[in-house]
Amino acid sequence: MEHRRLWVDYAKAIGIILVVYGHVGRGVYNAEIPINESFFLLADSIIYSFHMPLFFFLSGLFFCQSLLKRGPIRLLANKIDTVIYPYLLWSIIQGVTEVSLSTYTNGSLTYNEVFTLLWEPRAQFWFLYALFMIFVVASIIYGRLSNHYIFLVFVCSSFMYIFQKDIPSTLHLNFINNNFAFFAFGVWLNRLGSLERLGSRKVFSAVLLAFILFQYVFHEILNLTYTDKGIYSFILTVISLLFVVSLSIVISRKPIAWIAFIGSSSMVIYLTHILVSSGLRIILQNVFDVDSAPMHTIIGCLLGIAVPLVAIKYVRAINISALFTAPLSQVVYDSYKSFLRR
């Protein structure tokens, strides 16, 4: 169990490092800092083909165990603490900061746009909005179906992904169509109980080769990008997820504390890295007149990860965890139980 948790932290670390790099790279590109455009666009598409599906996949891995242990109401109440609360708080913090510094940033955000967060998520916070939607849908589906239908859920959600262009996206249903399949893939793969087999040398070599081959075919031969959703992008993403899992299991056998720490702190990094990296880019450009894309990228990625890690150490030391989570689930659950007694 401890080893299983460790490789999951390694997978989260890989994912969040790619998230930070992706956002820093896009910030540099949108700021029109001279950059090798062809390399940037290829790297951007490769990363975006699987780095966010990875987090939905990891969220699905142990979902059924949590659902069985807590029940749907307690589970969703807990997600109010750990998903909805940070979504609301940090959407406002980042949004207000962006408006205040709009003269120096790439965008032109207004306060009206900031406070439409209940129905229109923006920036990186779309993930938390989509994740909570998926937890709600998954609680309904898996709470009613037996384990025999777990694979069927994955198959159906896969078709929803592949044919998502033909499905209405009203009320953000596109979040479900685009991401639920990878959540369901995590549920099913964990149900098979064969995840550790992905850590063998033969399997790792095979999925590494498949990852390189399919990325090449997708981008160079088919001339597609991550925005071209369909059967090819679905196969590419699934292979990429298997590669990250295999890599994570392999490298976790020789534990490195700082990688595990990055993975276990991935939510805090996700919430705060845009403020850090964007602020740094503004300072480098406007104060130090730096226009080197490699320097912006390297420093932005390093501090985009390091500053949140220092922040979480400080938050824990002075016990102000309400910056990232809130103990609201018990209140919600107690209110629900009180309502049922009436």
Side-chain angles (χ1 to χ4, degrees):
M1 180 62 73
E2 289 301 322
H3 180 258
R4 180 168 66 176
R5 279 199 285 261
L6 183 60
W7 80 253
V8 171
D9 281 339
Y10 274 58
K12 288 180 180 179
I14 293 170
I16 200 62
I17 290 170
L18 293 177
V19 166
V20 174
Y21 170 79
H23 287 152
V24 169
R26 288 187 169 192
V28 171
Y29 181 76
N30 292 331
E32 299 182 348
I33 297 171
I35 192 171
N36 185 325
E37 184 173 7
S38 59
F39 174 80
F40 163 74
L41 293 176
L42 176 60
D44 183 78
S45 185
I46 291 173
I47 290 170
Y48 276 79
S49 69
F50 70 91
H51 76 328
M52 294 316 298
L54 173 63
F55 284 101
F56 288 105
F57 167 82
L58 294 174
S59 297
L61 274 180
F62 309 117
F63 171 78
C64 284
Q65 290 94 320
S66 295
L67 184 64
L68 183 63
K69 179 180 178 180
R70 297 179 177 179
I73 300 302
R74 276 191 178 275
L75 186 147
L76 292 177
N78 174 261
K79 299 310 171 186
I80 292 175
D81 291 358
T82 58
V83 178
I84 292 297
Y85 174 79
Y87 165 76
L88 294 173
L89 178 62
W90 284 93
S91 290
I92 294 172
I93 291 174
Q94 180 172 308
V96 170
T97 303
E98 287 184 41
V99 174
S100 303
L101 299 176
S102 58
T103 305
Y104 305 101
T105 61
N106 296 328
S108 55
L109 188 67
T110 66
Y111 283 114
N112 286 338
E113 291 173 307
V114 172
F115 289 99
T116 61
L117 74 171
L118 291 180
W119 58 88
E120 196 61 47
R122 56 171 302 279
Q124 78 272 28
F125 302 109
W126 71 268
F127 166 72
L128 300 179
Y129 195 96
L131 184 62
F132 187 75
M133 289 181 65
I134 285 175
F135 273 124
V136 172
V137 173
S139 296
I140 295 171
I141 293 175
Y142 293 106
R144 294 177 177 272
L145 295 179
S146 71
N147 290 333
H148 300 293
Y149 295 97
I150 285 178
F151 179 68
L152 180 61
V153 173
F154 170 56
V155 171
C156 292
S157 59
S158 300
F159 278 104
M160 289 173 60
Y161 173 92
I162 293 168
F163 298 105
Q164 62 183 272
K165 293 180 181 178
D166 301 317
I167 303 174
S169 58
T170 309
L171 300 175
H172 294 301
L173 287 178
N174 56 304
F175 286 154
I176 304 295
N177 302 332
N178 200 29
N179 301 297
F180 191 83
F182 307 115
F183 182 95
F185 183 47
V187 173
W188 174 61
L189 205 60
N190 188 47
R191 175 63 181 168
L192 288 179
S194 56
L195 279 167
E196 291 296 327
R197 296 177 187 174
L198 291 172
S200 73
R201 290 185 178 182
K202 289 183 179 180
V203 173
F204 174 70
S205 299
V207 294
L208 171 60
L209 180 62
F211 172 76
I212 295 171
L213 177 63
F214 274 80
Q215 289 286 356
Y216 176 78
V217 169
F218 184 81
H219 289 99
E220 297 299 325
I221 296 179
L222 298 177
N223 198 30
L224 300 173
T225 70
Y226 78 98
T227 59
D228 297 305
K229 306 296 185 184
I231 182 65
Y232 296 119
S233 66
F234 180 75
I235 294 172
L236 178 69
T237 303
V238 168
I239 290 173
S240 300
L241 295 179
L242 292 175
F243 165 65
V244 173
V245 171
S246 183
L247 174 63
S248 301
I249 294 173
V250 169
I251 62 178
S252 68
R253 288 176 180 150
K254 294 183 179 180
I256 303 174
W258 64 267
I259 297 179
F261 183 43
I262 290 174
S264 63
S265 307
S266 58
M267 175 63 89
V268 175
I269 297 172
Y270 193 81
L271 292 171
T272 60
H273 75 278
I274 292 288
L275 287 174
V276 175
S277 58
S278 296
L280 178 66
R281 189 183 67 249
I282 292 170
I283 293 172
L284 288 176
Q285 274 190 291
N286 295 280
V287 177
F288 297 101
D289 198 29
V290 175
D291 63 352
S292 167
M295 186 173 293
H296 273 277
T297 303
I298 293 171
I299 298 176
C301 288
L302 287 176
L303 293 187
I305 294 171
V307 171
L309 294 180
V310 173
I312 195 170
K313 285 280 191 180
Y314 180 74
V315 164
R316 288 172 178 171
I318 63 176
N319 196 26
I320 51 171
S321 59
L323 273 175
F324 304 112
T325 185
L328 300 176
S329 59
Q330 192 61 47
V331 175
V332 173
Y333 184 74
D334 290 343
S335 299
Y336 171 74
K337 297 295 286 186
S338 178
F339 173 78
L340 291 181
R341 294 191 196 101
R342 293 179 182 176

